[in-house]
Amino acid sequence: MPKAPAFIPTPALEKLPLAVRRDIRDNFEAGKTDLETQISALLGTPFKININPNEIWAYKSENSSTPAGSILTGYAEGFLSALTSYLDTYGDDGKTHFNDAVTQSELAVAVNPLGDEGETISATVKDGVFVILFHHTRLGYSMGSLGDYLLAAIEAVLRPGFSLVAKHSIDEDYNAEIDELTQEIGNILNMPDVVLDPNFEENYAALAKAKKDDASWQEAFGKAIFTYFRSVNDMVASKIHDTLPPYSTGLRDQLTNQGFEGDEMMQEGFAEVVTSKTFRVRVVKATANDFKMNETILEDGVIYLQVRVTRW
């Protein structure tokens, strides 16, 4: 099958018709400063809307009756709406990630260079400018549907540390609940200083390396690690009492089911073996038993709750 020819953008119009220029003046330029003010207030830094009408209007469909000013305003308002929703979800972290990515504090609109393969609307960050991309045959379509593309564009700008989505999951799904769970497990073991170590940095790096083409795991990164502490499918107690049968229940429930709560001898036995008082989640390439998704091992006084990277 012959390869599709590369998309060639339409040259910008040298001069717009008078009626179009008037409509842009009255229905876009007149409100642009207000939109810039609202965006700047959200981001905490001066922000500019820099849309070239001559480039955009070159893609006007002959069948479209939507005025140019309305289309330009529609893209700017769609961006404002998407940004508001994004910041409602990700707060100050989202603001920091956005400003670190969009270093020019500027919004532009351009045709999608993918041509026929491009989506109706999407976005990218190019040279520090946030760029809304439109399909070359669908100018003015889906202007209010930028939300998911805004997040993806910001996340696509590489930066050290956790992605915004992963950090949000840690904050919402892990940090908000881990203290209570730690206390419960400490009470069961009569070990108030027990440590539940999520090993976030190491696990994130391992998953990011193994799942380069699929970032969906990041959405529940914190929740998954919390779940391993609460619902890991392996037998912790068997590491210190190998006559006990395995259960497919949570760490907290396993300890309860095995009778640790209120049993001083079992609590003392645990403390003698798990000298670090630490449970740690660790992503590994393979488990000792290939049929197991998870396993629990005792290593240097630490209980590791291990999970195969391919089964995360």
Side-chain angles (χ1 to χ4, degrees):
M1 186 174 180
K3 185 178 179 180
F7 173 69
I8 301 176
T10 301
L13 301 176
E14 291 187 10
K15 187 174 183 179
L16 296 172
L18 176 61
V20 173
R21 298 201 306 271
R22 289 181 58 186
D23 184 73
I24 292 173
R25 180 196 65 188
D26 296 342
N27 296 308
F28 172 64
E29 295 291 348
K32 187 174 77 166
T33 299
D34 180 59
L35 288 169
E36 290 176 333
T37 299
Q38 293 182 63
I39 296 168
S40 299
L42 288 173
L43 294 173
T45 189
F47 195 90
K48 293 295 182 184
I49 298 172
N50 186 14
I51 302 175
N52 187 330
N54 294 58
E55 292 181 358
I56 304 305
W57 207 238
Y59 294 93
K60 176 190 176 298
S61 169
E62 294 181 359
N63 298 323
S64 173
S65 60
T66 306
S70 296
I71 289 178
L72 301 185
T73 297
Y75 279 120
E77 290 180 340
F79 171 78
L80 175 59
S81 176
L83 179 65
T84 300
S85 178
Y86 164 87
L87 294 175
D88 284 345
T89 300
Y90 298 107
D92 288 340
D93 284 334
K95 183 189 300 185
T96 298
H97 277 240
F98 186 96
N99 288 333
D100 286 350
V102 187
T103 55
Q104 298 303 308
S105 299
E106 182 178 318
L107 170 68
V109 178
V111 69
N112 194 317
L114 295 178
D116 290 340
E117 301 300 319
E119 299 185 63
T120 298
I121 190 169
S122 58
T124 189
V125 177
K126 182 177 181 181
D127 299 328
V129 175
F130 189 92
V131 184
I132 299 173
L133 300 174
F134 63 90
H135 189 280
H136 66 101
T137 66
R138 302 187 185 105
L139 177 65
Y141 285 64
S142 303
M143 294 182 290
S145 302
L146 188 63
D148 290 342
Y149 301 103
L150 186 149
L151 173 62
I154 298 305
E155 290 280 63
V157 179
L158 298 180
R159 54 175 288 146
F162 301 120
S163 70
L164 181 59
V165 170
K167 189 174 187 308
H168 181 69
S169 179
I170 291 172
D171 291 340
E172 296 294 318
D173 302 326
Y174 185 88
N175 291 341
E177 300 186 63
I178 195 61
D179 288 346
E180 181 179 350
L181 182 60
T182 301
Q183 184 176 0
E184 289 181 25
I185 293 176
N187 290 339
I188 293 170
L189 294 170
N190 192 27
M191 187 180 285
D193 52 349
V194 68
V195 175
L196 304 184
D197 180 4
N199 200 15
F200 283 134
E201 289 79 8
E202 181 181 319
N203 291 329
Y204 183 87
L207 289 164
K209 182 178 180 180
K211 298 178 179 289
K212 293 179 180 179
D213 298 326
D214 179 14
S216 60
W217 59 270
Q218 299 180 22
E219 297 175 8
F221 180 59
K223 185 175 183 178
I225 291 183
F226 180 83
T227 300
Y228 281 114
F229 284 130
R230 189 181 63 187
S231 307
V232 62
N233 294 326
D234 212 320
M235 187 57 221
V236 173
S238 63
K239 294 301 166 186
I240 59 174
H241 196 325
D242 58 14
T243 63
L244 296 175
Y247 288 84
S248 291
T249 55
L251 170 57
R252 176 192 58 197
D253 295 334
Q254 290 170 20
L255 296 172
T256 300
N257 292 339
Q258 299 310 315
F260 279 92
E261 190 166 18
D263 190 318
E264 292 183 4
M265 290 186 65
M266 293 190 70
Q267 292 168 349
E268 289 176 5
F270 183 90
E272 289 174 2
V273 176
V274 188
T275 53
S276 71
K277 306 178 182 180
T278 299
F279 294 91
R280 181 173 296 146
V281 175
R282 181 163 64 185
V283 174
V284 294
K285 290 183 179 179
T287 52
N289 185 332
D290 289 339
F291 295 100
K292 284 188 174 183
M293 294 185 295
N294 313 312
E295 65 184 359
T296 304
I297 68 168
L298 179 63
E299 184 179 296
D300 298 328
V302 177
I303 288 186
Y304 284 91
L305 312 178
Q306 298 195 149
V307 56
R308 281 163 48 189
V309 69
T310 56
R311 301 308 297 269
W312 182 271

